């Protein structure tokens, strides 16, 4: 369900609520794999994930060449499929795909686009995500930990120049620290990338 209302001066507010599900893939159900010293086993007994969520946002143009949008979101996922650590030795880490009891993802999205004259455009986006394990009766030590491979902060920006003959652009991306494992013991450090094209 989605609702939207436009006001004077280019202001628009919106809100939505939704439910969804995702069935486990054949890969998750039946395919074991190994990366380095980490073995991840499949699980033929996986159940479908079920998501309940909502979001609300506002968009406006304070000046003619500037567009700004903000959005907040909240979602709970029951039976989320995750790689759960079963055993750890110096030579081998064994994991299995399992249904967690529930996880929660909530956060804020901000974006802006600014056009200068006819040829220049600058845009940026920021995403704050708090994604944590709410409950997992099979292993209470995972409750309250961050979901693996979900960074808390992400930022993108892009600068573009375009005319009839040329297109020049640069794009940067920053991703904050995250974890590679369910126990939050193996950090993936923050990074920044920069791309350019002509």
């Amino acid at each position: 369900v989605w609702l939207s209302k436009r006001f004077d001066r280019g202001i628009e507010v919106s809100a939505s609520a939704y439910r969804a599900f995702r069935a486990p893939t054949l890969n998750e159900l039946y395919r074991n794999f190994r990366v380095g010293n980490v073995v991840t086993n499949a699980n033929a007994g996986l159940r479908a994930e079920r998501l309940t969520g909502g979001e609300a946002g506002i968009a406006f143009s304070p000046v003619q060449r500037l567009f700004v949008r903000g959005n907040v979101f909240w979602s709970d996922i029951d039976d989320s499929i995750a790689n759960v650590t079963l055993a750890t030795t110096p030579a081998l880490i064994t994991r299995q795909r399992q249904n967690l009891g529930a996880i929660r993802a909530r956060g804020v999205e901000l974006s802006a686009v600014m056009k200068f004259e006819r040829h220049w455009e600058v845009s940026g986006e920021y995403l704050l995500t708090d994604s944590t394990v709410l409950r997992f009766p099979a292993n209470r030590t995972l409750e309250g930990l961050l979901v693996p491979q979900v960074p808390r902060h992400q930022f993108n920006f892009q600068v573009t120049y375009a005319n009839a003959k040329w297109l020049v652009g640069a794009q940067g991306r920053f991703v904050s620290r995250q974890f590679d494992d369910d126990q939050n013991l193996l950090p993936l450090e923050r990074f920044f990338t920069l791309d350019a094209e002509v």
Side-chain angles (χ1 to χ4, degrees), residues 41-165:
N41 296 319
N43 183 354
L46 292 173
R47 300 179 302 277
E49 299 177 334
R50 300 192 178 275
L51 177 144
T52 303
E55 57 187 84
I58 183 170
F60 60 96
S61 297
V63 294
Q64 185 176 4
R65 297 178 182 270
L66 175 63
F67 176 79
V68 179
R69 180 168 183 82
N71 199 50
V72 295
F73 62 89
W74 182 295
S75 60
D76 290 345
I77 305 175
D78 294 317
D79 293 327
S80 173
I81 297 171
N83 296 335
V84 177
T85 302
L86 303 178
T88 302
T89 68
L92 186 67
I93 298 173
T94 303
R95 296 177 182 157
Q96 184 188 37
R97 293 185 171 100
Q98 294 184 9
N99 289 105
L100 296 176
I103 66 172
R104 172 172 293 154
R106 55 190 175 182
V108 177
E109 298 172 289
L110 301 172
S111 62
V113 178
M114 181 69 182
K115 295 184 178 181
F116 297 93
E117 300 178 349
R118 296 189 314 168
H119 304 296
W120 288 94
E121 181 176 292
V122 178
S123 62
E125 299 172 345
Y126 171 71
L127 174 62
L128 169 66
T129 307
D130 176 39
S131 187
T132 56
V133 179
L134 286 182
R135 60 183 183 277
F136 185 37
N139 185 353
R140 297 283 186 187
T141 62
L142 299 184
E143 294 180 355
L145 297 182
L146 297 176
V147 174
Q149 299 181 10
V150 180
R152 186 164 295 226
H153 305 279
Q154 297 183 68
F155 175 72
N156 298 298
F157 72 88
Q158 185 169 354
V159 180
T160 305
Y161 173 83
N163 63 25
K165 296 183 177 180

Side-chain angles (χ1 to χ4, degrees), residues 175-187:
V175 176
S176 69
R177 184 180 177 206
Q178 55 193 297
F179 291 98
D180 190 46
D181 68 314
D182 57 317
Q183 299 176 329
N184 290 182
L185 298 175
L186 304 174

